[in-house]
Structure formats: structure tokens, C-alpha cells
Amino acid sequence: MSERYMITTPIYYVNDLPHIGHIYTTVMADIFARYHRMKGEQVLFLTGTDEHGQKIERSAKAKGIRPIELADEVVGRYHTLWKQLEISNDDFIRTTEPRHEAAVDEIIRRIQANGDIYKGEYTGWYCAGCEAFYTETQIVDGRCPDQNHPVELLSEPSYFFRLSAYQDRLLNWYRENPGCIRPRSRYNEVIRFVEGGLKDLSISRASIRWGVPFPGDPGHVVYVWLDALTNYISALGFGSDDDSLYRQFWPADLHLVGKDILRFHCVYWPAFLMSAGLPLPKTIFGHGWWLRDEAKMSKSAGNVVRPDALLEKFGPDPLRYFLAREMTFGADSSFSEEAFFTRYNTELANKLGNLLSRTISMTHRFCGGVIPAPESSGQIATAAAAAFDAYVKAMETLKPERALDAIWKWLEELNGFIQERAPWALAKGGDAQRTLLEQTLGTCLEGLRVTAILLAPFMPGTAAKIASHLAIPLPDVFPESTGLWGGLRAGVALPPAEPLFPRADFKAYLKEATMDETPARAPEESSKEAKTTNEITIDQFAKTQLVIGTVREAERVPKSKKLLRLMVDLGEEEPRQIVAGMADKYEPEELVGRQVTVVANLKPVKLMGVESRGMVLAASVDGEPFILTPDGPVPPGTGVR
Ligand code: MSP
């Protein structure tokens, strides 16, 4: 019987559409859920929506619809978004479902049977305009926070939970289970709070209608947090005839929550469970906030970032990657699109994407497109096992950003290995170098296969794409660290490589995002238009001298990140010096011996002080160059018609 693992996100309020903050909790939970599935565990990953209470009642009223209609609409948006982001939740619980209400009923009955509920008076600031109570901290200058109506101090009958009786039991639980609240700073924070003393908690409201009726007193509804927290067991069938999932999966291994709702999860929830005689969750992790302009991203601050534009342009993986990579799990972090583009271009496009496309294109050029066998052991195989161990350790200790660090460190090693072995040079060494060349490329391809396995929980679509580039499916379960290396299928033909992460232009994205009147046009569309309106005659075209040349020398232009200085043999007396902006993608050594297409009659220009007498042509995919090489070798100077 495999181990079981239950992970949850908070359930989201339906008075707001999801923004980056909500997405973060769910994406991180998904990464851990996928990781545990790949460990061969039986996983239950739960998310859902929190649909009762005053906030929802009021938002619906403002829209002139019933609360359930508002909830249905927003739930639809959540389902679509989770699908777009490849969230692999096993269930989606709504607090308006009968299965949930049955569980709330049952937990309250158990708490009641334990003598922890009594009837008293709830006193709060009442707003007649909103028909709602506010707490002392919510009111602003004697007025309600949302509508600015005057408020008055009023009391209403309410049921109370004897939270005060749980102070010592909670403190004992924290002390006996130092891993129950993570990270450590939040654990200390909760202990300090509970040591300060606990007051009994009002758990019903007579002034609200939109909620679960209080068992035995339908004039009251259950307080939203007692209602909402119960989702974690209602989804498992607690309180119903079939509670097999509850018996199998409870207690949860990890409740992942934002730090703003830590107290509810670390104080109220365990106290309710203790009173009801139910087991307590193993770990509650309070992650930090995504900030925008130094403030928590939230609807009320009006500074939220919605995911739609980034998802439309990039699909789910770059956003999943960025969220996991940019934020240290547990700490706050600022969200900026610029940082997103920088990570995307430098890490995903230039490093990972480029490594894959280079390795595959060299395998096509030097090995006839057939996968060669990797080295069975050695420096790179050892580094792969070490990366895997570091990755597992980081994931087990809830440090996903360190797991990504381990992957990047490993990719650097793989990159260094290619540079050192220089397959483009080995390819010129004839039969003597053949075995080494094949082993080198096989080892790189195998390294990329290992990378795909490690990336799978973070970027499932990308991992599958890399695997299909390598013509081998990804394993569903991690191999043992000793069996990680060596799964490549040598002798199989490689499909042609497609760019994994085409480079992205941040300025163009910003321009599109700010064009609100006219819909933004993709750059290809405008160039299509230019093609039809700027026709040229064949004579005009003939003025451009296009010839094939062979690169004889190549080196980086000093102090430039992009420019290469090439000496290209165009069949003339002397090779031509041409400066090309390709250093992001191509190593100089890789180009030597390669045939390129050149515009030979361009007026000379100086680039970074180096004269360029011609231009090397390349197809450009979002700024990433793909050199145009003839189908077979031709004499230097051959014209292109
Ligand atoms: N409905 C309650 C949770 C009940 S769980 C039994 C709730 N909902 S929420 O929609 O307001 O927030 C859900 C989650 O989103 C919380 O974990 C919250 O911390 C997270 N985030 C909302 N804004 C956030 C940021 N700006 N940054 C990171 N996460 C934040 O609370």
C-alpha cells in the first residue's frame, strides 16, 4: 500500500475574481501534489470556494443577483483558470454543497456534545445600511469600512465556542509538534499570540441569512470561518454515510495558506478539531504575500494583477515557473512583469530552451538525427544524481525555490560540459573523434531527459514537450536516484526541434497592454500588411545580392553580449568581416565551418567599433535567430535566387 498524502489550498471567496495572490497558493499546492504523486504516493489535492457570509451576500446584492448566482459565476471562472494553469486538484469543494453542510452540522454537534458551545450575547458595531456587524478594528471614524454608513454598538444573541479552554492544549500541541506550523517564524508568531490569552469565539450570527443554518437553531447561521474550515473534511465525506476518504486521508499532511489567515488555521481550526475529537493536520504552512508597489496585492487596495494576459501569451508554465522561482517560500515578494520577462528570457529561453535546441540540432547535423548512447557513468551522470538528491531534500523541507536552484545548478554543469567537449570541434575530427562526439551528444540528451523529470511538478507541459522532443515518455514516478541516469533510447530517430520558449519582447508586450481602444496587434500581423502594401518588382529584388558563404573564423565582439565577428568566405579573394547579433544563441566555435546566407552588397557599417561588410540572414522567432543554411554544401559565393 503506497503512502497517502493530502494537501489543501484555502477555499477562495467568490466575491473576487482570482488574481496572482490566489493563483500562487494554488500553483504551489499543485507543485507539491505533483511531486508527491511522482514519489508514488496516493495524493488527494483539494481546493474549492468559500461561498457563504456577509461579504458574498453584499456583493450579490450590489449586482442585483442572488448569492448563489454570484457564486456559480465565479466558480465557473475558477474552474476555467485552474484548467488553464494545469492545476491537478482531485476535488473542488463548494461550501454551498449539501455534502459540506452535512459535515458542518456534524462537527458542531460533536463540539456541542463535548460541552464547548454556549449561548451568549455578541456585541459589535452594527451598520443598518449594510445590515451587518463590524468589529472595533474594522470601523473607520464611527462608520462602516465599505459604504461609509454610520454604525452603532449593538448586541445580538449568539452561540459561543469555548476557545479559552483550549489555550494550554494548543500550546502543548505546538510544543510537541514543532513542525506543525511552518516556517519557524510563523510558528513562533502563533505561539506568542496564544500565550497572550484566548477569548471565547462567537460562532453564529442571527443577523445574516446567507450561511449554513446553525444545528438546532435555524434562526442563526454558522460563523463563516467555522463553516469554511470544515471544507477540509467535508470534501472527504466526513459526516456522511460514506466517509472512506476521510478515513483514508485525514489528517491532512499540508494545509497551504497565506500568512493573513494563519490564525484561523493554527488556532481556531485545531481547537475545533480537538473539541470534536478529531485528529489535527500535520503541517500548516503560511506563505508570504505578493506585493505590488510595496503593498499586499488585494482587491481592496486596487493593485491586483490578473493572470489573463500572461497566460494568453505564454501558456501556464512560464507563470508557474516564475511564481515558484521568484518567491522564497514563506517570504513576501514583489510582482513585476519586467521581472517575469527577464526570468523568461534569460532562464527559460536563453538557457533551457537554447540548450535543448542546440543539442538537438547538433544531433541532427552530426549524428544524422539518431539518438546516440550516453556515457553510462562519469562526471555528468554523477552530477545528475547529486542534483536529484538536492532537489528531493529541498522539496521535502518545503523549499521549492531551492529545488529549482538545484535544477539550474545542474543545467549550468550540463552547459559547461558541452562547452568543454565542443561537439562542433569533435565533428571535424573524423572517425577518431566519432565515439566521443556521439557520447557527448547522447550525454547531453540524457541530461535533458533528467531535467524534464525534475521539472515535471513545476512545468508539466514543458517537461512533456522536452520528453517528446527526445522521443521518450516521462516516467509517472521518480526512479530511485541510482536508476535516474540512463533511460534514453539510443538508436531512435529524433523529431525536429521546435523552440521551447521563443524569446519575448517586454516593450512590445507593454505597448500591447496599454493599447486599450484599438485591439493590440501581433507583430506578425503588421508585417503581413507591410508585405502586401510594400510590393517590390523582381528588378528591385535583384538589386539585393544574396550569396552563400562559409564561416572561417568567429569570435565574440569584446564588451558586447550579442555581437559576433565572423570572417565569411564568399568565394572572394579574402574572407569578409561581418558582424552578426547572434551571440545569445550561438557559440562562436559552433559557427566555424557552417554555411550561411549573406546579403553581400549592404553598405558597410561599424557596430561597436567593428566594421561589418554584409549581413548574415536568420529567421527570427520573437527575436531568437535561426541561421539559414543551404540544404546541402555548396561552393562559397553561390548566389541565392
Ligand atoms: N475564504 C478564505 C479562506 C478560507 S480557508 C478555510 C480566504 N479567501 S481569499 O480568497 O481571500 O484568499 C485565499 C488565499 O489567497 C489566501 O491564502 C490568501 O493568503 C491568498 N492571497 C490573497 N492575496 C494574496 C497575495 N497578495 N499574495 C499571496 N497570497 C494572497 O481568505
Side-chain angles (χ1 to χ4, degrees):
M1 186 62 190
S2 64
E3 291 227 13
R4 53 57 58 285
Y5 184 85
M6 179 176 178
I7 181 164
T8 67
T9 72
I11 48 173
Y12 299 96
Y13 289 130
V14 289
N15 63 334
D16 191 8
L17 292 175
H19 59 66
I20 290 292
H22 306 125
I23 285 173
Y24 179 69
T25 319
T26 310
V27 164
M28 297 315 294
D30 186 62
I31 289 170
F32 282 104
R34 287 175 182 273
Y35 167 78
H36 282 274
R37 284 194 201 103
M38 287 189 72
K39 278 175 69 188
E41 293 172 9
Q42 234 184 319
V43 170
L44 195 141
F45 168 21
L46 177 66
T47 188
T49 39
D50 188 352
E51 305 185 9
H52 287 135
Q54 210 170 41
K55 281 196 208 186
I56 319 296
E57 207 172 34
R58 270 188 275 145
S59 297
K61 199 170 163 193
K63 290 187 169 194
I65 55 176
R66 290 181 299 134
I68 192 68
E69 289 174 314
L70 174 66
D72 286 347
E73 185 194 317
V74 175
V75 165
R77 300 286 286 268
Y78 268 101
H79 281 307
T80 310
L81 181 65
W82 294 158
K83 209 164 163 214
Q84 279 177 313
L85 274 160
E86 301 221 34
I87 302 300
S88 63
N89 54 303
D90 298 288
D91 199 352
F92 188 103
I93 181 81
R94 299 181 59 175
T95 54
T96 47
E97 288 178 69
R99 61 175 174 153
H100 176 73
E101 300 198 2
V104 174
D105 214 78
E106 178 62 19
I107 197 170
I108 292 180
R109 284 182 195 284
R110 289 190 186 212
I111 296 174
Q112 225 155 13
N114 199 30
D116 281 331
I117 293 180
Y118 63 91
K119 204 166 184 182
E121 284 280 310
Y122 173 80
T123 304
W125 292 94
Y126 187 73
C127 168
C130 302
E131 294 179 83
F133 274 101
Y134 292 98
T135 60
E136 182 77 39
T137 51
Q138 284 174 312
I139 58 160
V140 185
D141 298 333
R143 293 182 168 265
C144 77
D146 295 347
Q147 313 272 344
N148 210 25
H149 296 136
V151 292
E152 54 181 329
L153 203 57
L154 271 192
S155 293
E156 69 169 32
S158 167
Y159 290 94
F160 281 82
F161 171 66
R162 276 184 221 287
L163 183 62
S164 57
Y166 283 86
Q167 182 176 3
D168 290 344
R169 273 175 276 184
L170 284 168
L171 287 171
N172 283 342
W173 179 57
Y174 305 143
R175 291 188 180 127
E176 283 163 17
N177 300 278
C180 68
I181 301 168
R182 310 268 305 269
R184 193 74 187 171
S185 53
R186 308 244 190 275
Y187 172 80
N188 294 334
E189 187 186 312
V190 171
I191 292 188
R192 272 198 305 276
F193 172 77
V194 175
E195 280 173 343
L198 296 174
K199 283 198 201 130
D200 289 351
L201 184 71
S202 160
I203 52 162
S204 78
R205 289 285 184 281
S207 52
I208 301 173
R209 298 267 46 87
W210 182 235
V212 180
F214 202 84
D217 192 346
H220 290 238
V221 298
V222 175
Y223 167 54
V224 274
W225 273 98
L226 172 51
D227 170 351
L229 288 160
T230 307
N231 90 85
Y232 299 130
I233 52 176
S234 67
L236 301 178
F238 172 78
S240 79
D241 294 341
D242 180 5
D243 65 354
S244 51
L245 283 177
Y246 172 78
R247 281 185 279 113
Q248 194 185 349
F249 283 99
W250 191 256
D253 293 83
L254 185 60
H255 284 320
L256 191 55
V257 302
K259 64 179 181 181
D260 47 334
I261 54 175
L262 203 64
R263 192 175 299 174
F264 300 100
H265 284 82
C266 300
V267 182
Y268 298 177
W269 181 226
F272 294 150
L273 289 168
M274 283 176 185
S275 172
L278 303 175
L280 309 187
K282 291 185 196 154
T283 297
I284 299 148
F285 189 98
H287 67 68
W289 286 336
W290 282 100
L291 312 175
R292 188 80 162 172
D293 308 323
E294 319 268 296
K296 180 193 176 204
M297 193 186 287
S298 74
K299 187 184 172 190
S300 49
N303 61 355
V304 300
V305 179
R306 307 277 178 203
D308 312 58
L310 291 176
L311 278 177
E312 191 182 318
K313 183 163 173 57
F314 295 96
D317 281 1
L319 185 56
R320 291 174 62 107
Y321 171 76
F322 178 77
L323 294 178
R325 175 99 169 122
E326 182 80 0
M327 193 184 247
T328 300
F329 204 40
D332 291 349
S333 192
S334 280
F335 186 91
S336 90
E337 283 84 352
E338 194 168 1
F340 173 93
F341 271 74
T342 304
R343 282 213 185 269
Y344 175 85
N345 281 330
T346 55
E347 296 178 356
L348 297 182
N350 289 1
K351 294 214 172 110
L352 178 59
N354 200 8
L355 184 62
L356 181 77
S357 71
R358 274 173 82 197
T359 312
I360 292 187
S361 94
M362 285 193 277
T363 310
H364 280 287
R365 277 171 38 223
F366 305 144
C367 303
V370 176
I371 299 183
E375 292 170 356
S376 55
S377 59
Q379 167 215 343
I380 287 296
T382 309
F388 184 54
D389 291 342
Y391 166 93
V392 168
K393 187 169 169 220
M395 292 303 280
E396 294 295 325
T397 50
L398 302 177
K399 296 193 170 84
E401 72 288 349
R402 292 216 188 150
L404 286 173
D405 281 345
I407 298 179
W408 281 111
K409 193 169 155 254
W410 147 249
L411 280 173
E412 296 293 338
E413 293 205 41
L414 204 53
N415 236 329
F417 172 76
I418 302 198
Q419 292 309 112
E420 205 179 290
R421 286 280 179 95
W424 46 90
L426 293 175
K428 291 193 198 126
D431 286 349
Q433 305 279 36
R434 190 80 216 153
T435 311
L436 195 57
L437 170 66
E438 289 184 354
Q439 270 184 357
T440 301
L441 288 175
T443 300
C444 293
L445 292 170
E446 172 60 3
L448 283 159
R449 192 191 66 87
V450 169
T451 308
I453 297 176
L454 302 189
L455 280 176
F458 292 87
M459 296 198 281
T462 302
K465 243 191 204 168
I466 297 178
S468 78
H469 271 100
L470 303 175
I472 184 163
L474 276 184
D476 293 333
V477 171
F478 291 123
E480 288 293 314
S481 123
T482 47
L484 183 67
W485 187 259
L488 198 68
R489 286 194 301 215
V492 170
L494 274 185
E498 281 167 35
L500 207 51
F501 298 108
R503 280 185 65 80
D505 183 342
F506 180 53
K507 283 195 191 128
Y509 173 84
L510 274 189
K511 222 163 145 193
E512 279 180 32
T514 48
M515 274 189 212
D516 40 9
E517 290 300 319
T518 35
R521 272 194 312 179
E524 314 85 72
E525 280 179 291
S526 41
S527 60
K528 255 182 232 152
E529 191 174 299
K531 266 183 227 150
T532 50
T533 54
N534 297 333
E535 288 170 346
I536 56 167
T537 63
I538 186 82
D539 295 340
Q540 284 169 317
F541 171 67
K543 287 187 183 157
T544 312
Q545 260 179 37
L546 294 174
V547 290
I548 300 297
T550 304
V551 179
R552 298 288 180 217
E553 289 170 33
E555 64 174 22
R556 288 179 183 275
V557 171
K559 295 201 193 104
S560 166
K561 279 193 185 150
K562 285 207 141 186
L563 299 181
L564 293 177
R565 187 185 72 85
L566 309 177
M567 295 303 285
V568 186
D569 178 358
L570 296 182
E572 301 165 335
E573 250 168 56
E574 294 283 321
R576 286 260 199 126
Q577 174 168 291
I578 298 179
V579 178
M582 299 175 168
D584 267 358
K585 162 104 183 252
Y586 297 98
E587 292 300 326
E589 303 84 337
E590 231 180 303
L591 293 180
V592 175
R594 186 142 179 191
Q595 291 212 297
V596 292
T597 312
V598 172
V599 181
N601 59 338
L602 265 189
K603 204 168 165 188
V605 285
K606 273 199 171 173
L607 297 169
M608 297 279 286
V610 182
E611 185 177 58
S612 178
R613 295 176 50 234
M615 182 166 102
V616 172
L617 293 184
S620 168
V621 181
D622 282 340
E624 181 182 357
F626 288 77
I627 286 181
L628 302 179
T629 299
D631 207 11
V634 298
T638 305
V640 177
R641 305 273 172 266

